[in-house]
Amino acid sequence: MMVVAIVIAAGLLILAALCALYRIARGPSILDRVLAIDVLLATIGGALAMDMAVNRHLDNVVLLVAISVIGFIGSVTVARFVTDRK
Amino acid sequence: MNETVIDALTAVFLIGGALMSVAAGVGLLRFPDLLTRMHAATKPQVLGLLLFLLAMALQLRSWVLLPVLLVCWIFMLLTVPVSAHMVGRAGYRTKHMRRDLLSMDELDEIVEKAASKRAPGRNPTERPDET
């Protein structure tokens, strides 16, 4: 039962990552891209946490925090330097 | 028996967290402008991460781990609103949104009032661009 749940959750995460990647590639403005990058990072963090839960180890906790720091700094920096559209 | 219940709960949490990510992805694809996409994008960052961390806590079952996970989640909880505020603010200022989709814009009145108060002779639509 656990294996089925893991496969379903992994498939859903892959779908979410693909949606975010599409928006990163397509996004009309840089703010949309930043937002999509945040979602992609959250999805990657979720995948890391799922790996830790399933295989019962703690190797990725630091990476999880680092990913949230990267998302925060990246989006704040881009939001600070974004230019006017019109 | 006990192990089965914990495994089932873990499975529910994992699938719930993954569903949050999918909701954000679909929202990014389908929603028309920046503000609506921001609404969708914050789901996996807080609730999704919480569900995944709960699944971790259920599988690893150690009290030492719990503060670490809590710090991880609280850190996310502190940084997500700040970055969302910055992105939304930049989007509002640089007009990266569709005004025709707004039913109400309370910030517009306030901005115009502040602009006319600060410089009465100036054009009220021109916004000062310092941070």
Side-chain angles (χ1 to χ4, degrees), chain A:
Chain A
M1 188 193 75
M2 200 59 182
V3 178
V4 178
I6 291 163
V7 169
I8 292 174
L12 291 175
L13 281 177
I14 290 171
L15 183 65
L18 287 179
C19 292
L21 275 176
Y22 175 81
R23 187 48 75 191
I24 291 172
R26 186 73 200 285
S29 72
I30 189 147
L31 288 172
D32 290 308
R33 291 196 172 96
V34 162
L35 209 60
I37 287 171
D38 265 0
V39 172
L40 185 63
L41 286 178
T43 309
I44 291 172
L48 287 175
M50 197 170 94
D51 176 48
M52 281 190 284
V54 170
N55 296 323
R56 300 190 184 174
H57 60 82
L58 286 173
D59 302 350
N60 298 336
V61 172
V62 181
L63 201 55
L64 208 59
V65 177
I67 278 179
S68 62
V69 172
I70 289 169
F72 171 66
I73 294 175
S75 55
V76 167
T77 310
V78 172
R80 177 68 188 79
F81 291 109
V82 70
T83 50
D84 216 323
R85 177 183 267 179
K86 280 142 203 165

Side-chain angles (χ1 to χ4, degrees), chain B residues 52-88:
Chain B
F52 280 122
L53 292 181
L54 277 178
M56 258 180 82
L58 277 179
Q59 283 295 309
L60 291 158
R61 286 195 288 280
S62 87
W63 289 109
V64 187
L65 177 64
L66 216 54
V68 178
L69 298 184
L70 205 62
V71 164
C72 202
W73 190 61
I74 286 178
F75 187 76
M76 203 67 172
L77 212 58
L78 288 176
T79 55
V80 161
V82 177
S83 62
H85 173 85
M86 289 295 284
V87 170

Side-chain angles (χ1 to χ4, degrees), chain B residues 14-31:
Chain B
L14 286 178
I15 291 181
L19 278 177
M20 289 297 144
S21 289
V22 172
V26 173
L28 279 180
L29 278 192
R30 300 283 307 157
F31 281 163

